[in-house]
Amino acid sequence: MLWPFTVVGGGVGYLVASIPGAMLGALLGQALDRRLNFRSWAEMRERANGRTVPRDDELIFILLGRLAKSDGRVLDAHIQQARVEMRRLDLSETAQRRAIQAFNRGKDGRDNLRVHLTRLKPQPHAAEGLLRACWRMAWADGKASRAERGLIVQWGQWLGWGADKVEGLSSTEDAQRSRGAPASSGGEFQDALRLLGVKADADPAQIKRAYRRLLSRHHPDKIAGSGANQIQVRDATEKTRELHHAYALIRDRRGFR
């Protein structure tokens, strides 16, 4: 990672006092980068243009605002979905005001979102939570448009995800839940298989292994122990709940214990 002042400090230090100067200059530059929260040159340019680096609970609403405006007009359904996300995250009154400002900021489309999303690559749970929220917004009016799909897939790629994996999050269950309609049993079963990453004819032992592996990876206690923030822990809790439901559905359908 090329932290701006670290690079500049190292270069200036080398010119002044060769290698010892470069080491000292890089050290001082890194301290300045950390103090100012600069992680890249692109982030520095964003700050120079008056765009502050968003917090995690602001970035999600910037993305939602961009999606809502992607087809040219923000609908009431989009605004209602943004409110649903605020309730889902259990935001305080102050955080809700920041979320509204971030949503409006996203609508103007001036943020370099690649800068902000790339820094979340090492945080897969945060990335998945963002993408799931984006799909819920895309389906808020009953259909995910080509523009909305294109944005979400692009954002997913910046987060280090493949296009197929990003599209996989846009399941029938997500779409129907956004529309308020119950999912069909066939659709639920297919979504459950997709969530666990198994085929319909997989043997019970394989299904159990997939379920336990995913449960271990996404368990809220494990996520919390790794230093995740409150939003990431909440997303992991939701993911764990989905895994429990999916496994129970497959187990009942296949008739094993």
Side-chain angles (χ1 to χ4, degrees), residues 33-226:
D33 279 324
R34 291 183 182 278
R35 183 174 182 81
L36 298 176
N37 199 25
F38 284 140
R39 297 180 181 86
S40 67
W41 293 98
E43 202 167 274
M44 178 183 279
R45 287 194 294 271
E46 283 285 283
R47 195 83 66 84
N49 291 329
R51 314 298 288 182
T52 58
V53 177
R55 298 155 46 110
D56 287 348
D57 59 350
E58 294 171 332
L59 178 57
I60 184 173
F61 288 98
I62 291 176
L63 296 175
L64 298 183
R66 178 75 65 88
L67 277 175
K69 194 64 181 294
S70 62
D71 287 321
R73 187 164 64 93
V74 178
L75 305 176
D76 287 341
H78 295 136
I79 296 173
Q80 292 302 320
Q81 184 60 35
R83 290 172 178 162
V84 167
E85 296 297 333
M86 289 184 204
R87 290 195 295 272
R88 189 182 71 85
L89 295 173
D90 193 24
L91 298 182
S92 66
E93 186 175 341
T94 300
Q96 287 182 37
R97 287 196 294 269
R98 286 201 306 267
I100 293 170
Q101 292 171 351
F103 186 81
N104 291 329
R105 172 175 167 175
K107 289 190 297 183
D108 72 27
R110 292 191 293 138
D111 275 281
N112 183 352
L113 294 176
R114 185 170 191 167
V115 175
H116 308 312
L117 292 174
T118 301
R119 64 185 172 88
L120 291 180
K121 270 188 177 183
Q123 303 178 46
H125 297 284
E128 182 172 344
L130 285 175
L131 293 173
R132 284 182 175 274
C134 287
W135 280 119
R136 289 193 291 268
M137 176 59 77
W139 283 107
D141 61 347
K143 63 183 186 303
S145 70
R146 179 178 298 181
E148 290 169 328
R149 287 183 176 276
L151 283 174
I152 298 174
V153 168
Q154 183 180 62
W155 295 342
Q157 290 173 333
W158 290 343
L159 287 163
W161 288 46
D164 290 343
K165 187 178 179 182
V166 177
E167 286 279 5
L169 292 179
S170 178
S171 65
T172 302
E173 183 179 3
D174 288 332
Q176 291 177 333
R177 186 188 301 123
S178 296
R179 291 197 296 266
S184 66
S185 59
E188 273 195 314
F189 182 63
Q190 292 301 320
D191 289 340
L193 293 171
R194 188 181 303 112
L195 183 63
L196 265 60
V198 297
K199 296 182 179 179
D201 59 353
D203 63 78
Q206 182 181 358
I207 295 172
K208 289 178 182 178
R209 284 196 301 271
Y211 167 65
R212 289 168 181 165
R213 183 178 64 252
L214 290 169
L215 199 62
S216 174
R217 182 188 306 169
H218 296 284
H219 198 283
D221 292 342
K222 183 176 182 179
I223 302 303
S226 67

Side-chain angles (χ1 to χ4, degrees), residues 5-14 20-30:
F5 285 112
T6 303
V7 174
V8 172
V12 172
Y14 182 81
M23 295 175 63
L24 179 59
L27 186 63
L28 294 174
Q30 187 177 72

